[in-house]
Amino acid sequence: MILWHFPPKNLSLRKDSLHIWRADVDLPIDLLTALAVNLSWDERQRADRFYFERDKKRFIACRGLLRMIISHYLDLEPYKLKFTYSPRGKPELDNNHTQDRLCFNVSHSQNLAVYAIALNRAVGIDLEYTRPLSDLQQLAERFFSPSEASIINALPEAQQQEVFFRLWTIKEAYLKATGEGLAGLQSIVVSFTRENTINLYNIENNVLLNSHWFCTEFNPEPEYKGALVAERKDLEENTVEYFTLTTDYILNH
């Protein structure tokens, strides 16, 4: 059972551990304004391109909170953080001047955001709001492998949605960790053992990926599915910590 708790005052990150944060991105306007001050010019430009004001505010909150979280690990003011982006858009720190490389990944859905923070290991995280999908079977056949789509289609209707979102979040978290992007959805196959162990396969190379990649699932709220994939490097379930980012923590740090 996953326990979400408040972060300690003296936040530290070991090389053999990983931190997952959850945060509400529907924030009051005064807090949102304070976070927006730390955004870069290009982040503000991206925020202004959103058509709906709600989406703009959520983007500002998501990026502003990311900067705040990372700043605690690096002891650097949030506005001083600089990001670079891979050809597929994955952000990385450009001014990480510590001995160990701080790695991170972000995902948000509806009013929630999740953040994965680690040292010296590639990491990907995905979060999905589990809303009903009228075209679920078509989506499975389009984006999943034939075996995965067949499994979903054979399930009772009540179970199809849960399994679809479990597969989707795990596969997308893996593709974010590797930087491959959604184009690789069909090349990765996910299966579950009776003990609920998650197996990751690369069907193009016929390789089981578990020895190199760690994978776990989490539910930050009842109607959300989340998944994390990271380079294993001695990472285990009991070395992943789960933090809740509260308004009080934001205001006092």
Side-chain angles (χ1 to χ4, degrees), residues 30-62:
D30 56 336
L31 191 53
L32 200 64
T33 302
L35 291 173
V37 171
N38 293 320
L39 298 186
S40 64
W41 178 85
D42 64 295
E43 287 171 327
R44 293 173 188 171
Q45 291 291 105
R46 287 180 62 185
D48 288 337
R49 287 197 289 268
F50 283 96
Y51 184 80
F52 294 107
E53 187 67 15
R54 179 192 62 188
D55 295 332
K56 175 181 177 179
K57 290 179 178 178
R58 287 176 174 175
F59 174 82
I60 292 172
C62 188

Side-chain angles (χ1 to χ4, degrees), residues 95-205:
N95 57 341
N96 185 12
H97 301 308
T98 59
Q99 182 178 357
D100 296 303
R101 181 171 58 97
L102 189 139
C103 303
F104 69 93
N105 201 233
V106 185
S107 183
H108 63 91
S109 182
Q110 294 290 95
N111 66 307
L112 278 184
V114 289
Y115 306 84
I117 310 292
L119 291 176
N120 306 319
R121 72 176 80 235
V123 60
I125 196 167
D126 188 53
L127 178 70
E128 299 292 338
Y129 179 72
T130 56
R131 68 278 184 194
L133 297 172
S134 59
D135 55 347
L136 185 147
Q137 293 182 353
Q138 292 91 330
L139 288 171
E141 291 171 359
R142 178 181 177 186
F143 292 110
F144 293 171
S145 69
S147 62
E148 290 169 326
S150 297
I151 290 172
I152 290 176
N153 291 339
L155 289 171
E157 188 174 344
Q159 297 179 27
Q160 288 183 354
Q161 179 175 296
E162 178 183 1
V163 173
F164 176 89
F165 280 108
R166 287 186 71 187
L167 291 173
W168 183 277
T169 53
I170 293 169
K171 288 158 75 81
E172 186 161 345
Y174 171 79
L175 294 170
K176 291 175 73 175
T178 61
E180 295 177 41
L182 293 180
L185 272 174
Q186 289 185 323
S187 65
I188 301 301
V189 173
V190 178
S191 67
F192 306 102
T193 68
R194 289 185 178 180
E195 296 77 24
N196 218 27
T197 299
I198 302 167
N199 288 326
L200 290 171
Y201 292 91
N202 184 318
I203 58 175
E204 292 182 348
N205 301 320

Side-chain angles (χ1 to χ4, degrees), residues 230-244:
E231 285 183 286
R232 185 168 287 279
K233 295 180 181 178
D234 299 322
L235 187 65
E236 300 296 342
E237 293 283 353
N238 61 359
T239 60
V240 179
E241 296 185 77
Y242 296 85
F243 297 134
T244 297

